[in-house]
């Protein structure tokens, strides 16, 4: 028998030899006693079957063996069964083979984050978790996501695009200074509430809010109060009671610092150029051009009337009288 093979049971010839009357039972040897490089297995009491020989070394199984019932009728089969691993080891082996050699581990949320059910909706909370980036591993069925009171400085493109049912997103009380134009990509049909208050935002890209039907909180940020913010406010709805918190910060024009942006937007048009402003400039140019053409038409009409007025003031000339013919005058004299 080769040294690397495992003998799982006796052969038919060996069973026939053991059944002979003159066969003498061997002495039981402990399983831990080495026999020429092999460990001899224990036999069932009261049976004359030989013990199994299992090669010593790394090929010997290390899992606990299942002990068969004492009334097993086929000794070789019983000893073969005792060498099989338990069912839990088979399941582990199948999992390892199915995952490419690595055991799957459950996805653990970042420290300080947890999943909860709030009002029947899946909520993922990472408030005050010390995060410096948007965490990974957020469940896809999350409806409310709280990332407030962390150290997030930016939101990259597509950070939440796998959250197909996300309705509420809280990014307040961070240090956000930059927002990608595609930060909320994939949320156009679901996102309803967005909180960006108490950050370091001075301006926002209009592209980030295209197609979104959301209610947003933009208060407590050092706004630059420029055309971009005015265009954003045309795309979104402000959360009730948060409009007064949109105040121009140090980056705004000196005459606007400390003033409420909504009051300025109603009195002053900040988009003199660019998106929206270019359209209004075009409208003004068109009106000026049409006014110029109208002025030319009016000037022509005035000039025409004035010229006709001079012609009407000239006296009419009498038509010249034709001289009488000589024949007529001779006829008149003869008649006289």
């Amino acid at each position: 028998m080769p040294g690397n093979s495992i003998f799982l049971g006796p052969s038919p010839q060996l069973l026939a030899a053991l059944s002979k009357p003159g066969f003498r039972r061997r002495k039981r040897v402990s399983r831990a006693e080495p026999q020429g490089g092999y460990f001899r297995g224990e036999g069932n009491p009261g049976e004359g079957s030989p013990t199994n020989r299992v090669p010593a070394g790394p090929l010997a199984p290390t899992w606990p063996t299942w002990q068969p019932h004492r009334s097993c009728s086929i000794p070789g089969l019983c000893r073969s069964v005792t060498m099989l691993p338990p069912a839990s080891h088979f399941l582990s082996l199948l999992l390892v083979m199915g995952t490419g050699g690595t055991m799957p581990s459950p996805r653990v949320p970042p420290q300080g984050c947890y999943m909860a059910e709030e009002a029947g909706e899946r909520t993922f909370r990472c408030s005050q978790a010390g995060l410096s980036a948007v965490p990974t591993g957020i469940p896809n069925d999350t409806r409310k996501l709280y990332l407030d009171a962390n150290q997030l400085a930016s939101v990259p493109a597509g950070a939440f695009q796998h959250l197909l049912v996300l309705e509420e997103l809280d990014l307040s009380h961070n240090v956000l200074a930059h927002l990608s134009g595609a930060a909320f990509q994939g949320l156009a049909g679901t996102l309803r509430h967005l909180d960006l208050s108490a950050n370091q935002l001075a301006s926002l890209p209009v592209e980030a809010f295209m197609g979104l039907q959301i209610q947003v909180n933009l208060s407590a940020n050092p706004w630059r109060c420029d055309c971009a913010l005015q265009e954003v406010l045309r795309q979104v709805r402000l959360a009730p009671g948060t409009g007064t918190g949109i105040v121009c910060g140090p980056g705004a024009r000196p005459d606007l610092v400390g003033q409420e942006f909504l009051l300025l937007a109603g009195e002053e048009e900040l988009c003199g150029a660019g998106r929206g402003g270019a359209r209004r400039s075009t409208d003004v140019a068109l009106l000026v051009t049409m006014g110029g053409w109208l002025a030319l038409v009016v000037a022509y009409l005035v000039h025409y009337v004035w010229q006709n007025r001079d012609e009407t003031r000239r006296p009419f000339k009498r038509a010249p009288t034709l001289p009488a013919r000589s024949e007529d005058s001779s006829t008149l004299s003869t008649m006289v």
Side-chain angles (χ1 to χ4, degrees):
M1 181 172 56
N4 292 335
S5 62
I6 299 176
F7 183 66
L8 299 180
S11 63
Q13 294 81 0
L14 182 58
L15 291 176
L18 293 176
S19 60
K20 292 181 179 181
F23 182 77
R24 185 179 58 183
R25 186 186 308 173
R26 293 185 179 182
K27 179 183 178 181
R28 295 179 61 185
V29 183
S30 173
R31 297 182 66 180
E33 179 182 354
Q35 298 292 329
Y38 292 83
F39 288 106
R40 179 177 294 179
E42 295 181 1
N44 291 333
E47 295 182 2
S49 61
T51 57
N52 286 332
R53 302 183 66 191
V54 182
L59 291 179
T62 58
W63 50 74
T65 58
W66 171 76
Q67 297 296 333
H69 195 270
R70 294 298 184 181
S71 62
C72 185
S73 59
I74 305 178
L77 180 60
C78 294
R79 289 183 176 84
S80 301
V81 172
T82 59
M83 300 181 62
L84 295 177
S88 60
H89 289 79
F90 275 120
L91 293 177
S92 301
L93 181 60
L94 292 177
L95 289 175
V96 169
M97 295 174 61
T99 55
T102 58
M103 288 292 292
S105 58
R107 179 168 293 178
V108 180
Q111 186 177 4
C113 303
Y114 62 92
M115 177 64 75
E117 289 282 344
E118 297 182 2
E121 295 183 343
R122 297 274 287 177
T123 303
F124 194 78
R125 285 190 174 273
C126 284
S127 304
Q128 299 180 354
L131 301 176
S132 59
V134 177
T136 58
I138 303 175
N140 296 342
D141 58 347
T142 301
R143 291 188 176 274
K144 295 182 179 181
L145 176 59
Y146 292 90
L147 301 177
D148 54 302
N150 286 287
Q151 299 297 318
L152 302 180
S154 63
V155 178
F160 312 104
Q161 62 182 356
H162 66 288
L163 306 177
L164 303 180
V165 294
L166 186 64
E167 297 178 356
E168 184 174 341
L169 176 60
D170 190 351
L171 296 171
S172 63
H173 296 88
N174 281 279
V175 290
L176 290 176
H178 172 71
L179 207 64
S180 171
F184 309 117
Q185 182 179 0
L187 304 179
T190 59
L191 190 62
R192 294 292 178 264
H193 301 278
L194 174 64
D195 195 345
L196 293 174
S197 62
N199 281 284
Q200 299 298 319
L201 294 169
S203 183
L204 289 174
V206 184
E207 295 81 6
F209 301 91
M210 289 294 183
L212 296 179
Q213 303 294 328
I214 60 173
Q215 190 177 79
V216 62
N217 184 358
L218 301 176
S219 60
N221 282 282
W223 295 111
R224 193 178 297 128
C225 294
D226 53 3
C227 174
L229 181 58
Q230 195 170 36
E231 289 296 320
V232 167
L233 293 181
R234 292 191 176 103
Q235 298 288 335
V236 300
R237 294 177 293 108
L238 293 178
T242 63
T244 57
I246 304 177
V247 180
C248 301
R253 285 170 14 198
D255 58 324
L256 302 181
V257 176
Q259 299 189 36
E260 294 183 17
F261 181 76
L262 294 183
L263 299 178
L264 297 174
E267 298 175 357
E268 183 178 356
E269 181 58 53
L270 300 176
C271 295
R275 190 189 307 271
R279 182 173 58 252
R280 282 181 286 276
S281 300
T282 303
D283 295 341
V284 171
L286 181 61
L287 290 175
V288 171
T289 303
M290 293 179 63
W293 281 106
L294 182 61
L296 289 176
V297 172
V298 171
Y300 176 78
L301 290 176
V302 171
H303 176 72
Y304 180 79
V305 171
W306 183 264
Q307 290 293 332
N308 291 338
R309 185 179 180 182
D310 291 342
E311 291 293 337
T312 56
R313 287 182 178 179
R314 295 177 183 178
F316 290 100
K317 296 181 180 180
R318 293 182 179 181
T321 57
L322 296 176
R325 298 175 59 181
S326 57
E327 296 180 356
D328 294 340
S329 56
S330 300
T331 304
L332 182 60
S333 340
T334 303
M335 293 177 63
V336 174

